[in-house]
Amino acid sequence: FLRFIVFAAPTRLPSLGVGSTGHILAAWNNGEQHIAVEFLPADKAAVTFVKQNVRSRGLVTWRGHVADLKRFIEDNGMLECIHGNSA
């Protein structure tokens, strides 16, 4: 979790929790956009994005290294969710 915070430098604080496996959970919500992250051992993360488009709601999942997560968020147009309007 802390490695992602350092790499992504979000300006919006997430909602935090702990899953039944003991992994840290973080969620950002920005209107119709939602990012939910489960931080796994060995600096890995499992992510689910929910994004409302003009026609429908889209769901995207990703799993990888936390250092690559910010890029994935950017590539999917979800940066505003962790940075608010200042992105």
Side-chain angles (χ1 to χ4, degrees):
F1 171 74
L2 292 177
R3 188 176 306 271
F4 172 72
I5 296 300
V6 169
F7 277 107
T11 57
R12 297 183 72 228
L13 296 175
S15 297
L16 294 173
V18 178
S20 61
T21 58
H23 301 147
I24 293 175
L25 307 173
W28 286 264
N29 296 301
N30 186 27
E32 295 294 327
Q33 295 181 337
H34 308 283
I35 299 174
V37 183
E38 179 179 8
F39 292 94
L40 305 168
D43 288 335
K44 302 288 184 191
V47 183
T48 302
F49 295 164
V50 177
K51 184 177 180 180
Q52 183 69 41
N53 296 324
V54 174
R55 296 183 187 151
S56 66
R57 181 175 281 209
L59 179 69
V60 177
T61 60
W62 177 86
R63 189 178 186 116
H65 195 277
V66 293
D68 300 324
L69 179 53
K70 181 180 179 185
R71 174 68 184 248
F72 187 74
I73 291 170
E74 290 172 344
D75 290 349
N76 283 279
M78 298 286 286
L79 197 58
E80 190 174 305
C81 199
I82 65 169
H83 288 295
N85 294 330
S86 64

